[in-house]
Amino acid sequence: MAKRSEKQIDPPDEPPPDKGSGKIGYKILASLGATAGTAVARKAVKATWRTATGKPPPETPEHPDVRWGEAATWAAVSAAAVAVAKLMAQRRVAATWRRASGVLPPGLDESAD
């Protein structure tokens, strides 16, 4: 009897995963999250301004009839609220991405922990 060859056939090599795959998807999700967070922050800041001052926020803070203090306060408060909301939304998307895929989103470095 002829001896059967016990040579194992290896499956064809798979190409390495594309490190750029998912980058566009992540950017889209992060942008959508940031947009939603910004919209919520703007509404919250307007409502808080009305409660704190008893009047609506300045619609055009650059208008010469709006006092400097009021314009600067509105700009600082609204910018800070929008920046924090954007950060919170993007961090949430990154955490969800990591939980779903098991890896950090494209562009985030593991050493930042």
Side-chain angles (χ1 to χ4, degrees), residues 28-64:
I28 290 171
L29 289 174
S31 295
L32 290 173
T35 301
T38 298
V40 170
R42 285 184 177 159
K43 286 186 180 214
V45 169
K46 284 182 180 181
T48 303
W49 184 273
R50 281 191 191 103
T51 302
T53 64
K55 57 183 182 176
E59 289 191 27
T60 53
E62 67 275 8
H63 194 284

Side-chain angles (χ1 to χ4, degrees), residues 4 16 19-20 22 27 38-39 42 45 50 52-54 58-59 61 66 69 77 83 85 90 102 104 108 111-112:
R4 191 176 244 192
K19 291 191 179 199
K27 284 187 175 188
T38 298
R42 285 184 177 159
V45 169
R50 281 191 191 103
T53 64
E59 289 191 27
V66 177
V77 169
Q90 289 176 328
L104 285 172
L108 295 185
S111 65

Side-chain angles (χ1 to χ4, degrees), residues 6-26:
E6 296 195 20
K7 193 177 197 182
Q8 187 175 8
I9 300 174
D10 292 330
D13 289 337
E14 292 183 25
D18 182 13
K19 291 191 179 199
S21 67
K23 191 171 191 174
I24 293 174
Y26 171 69

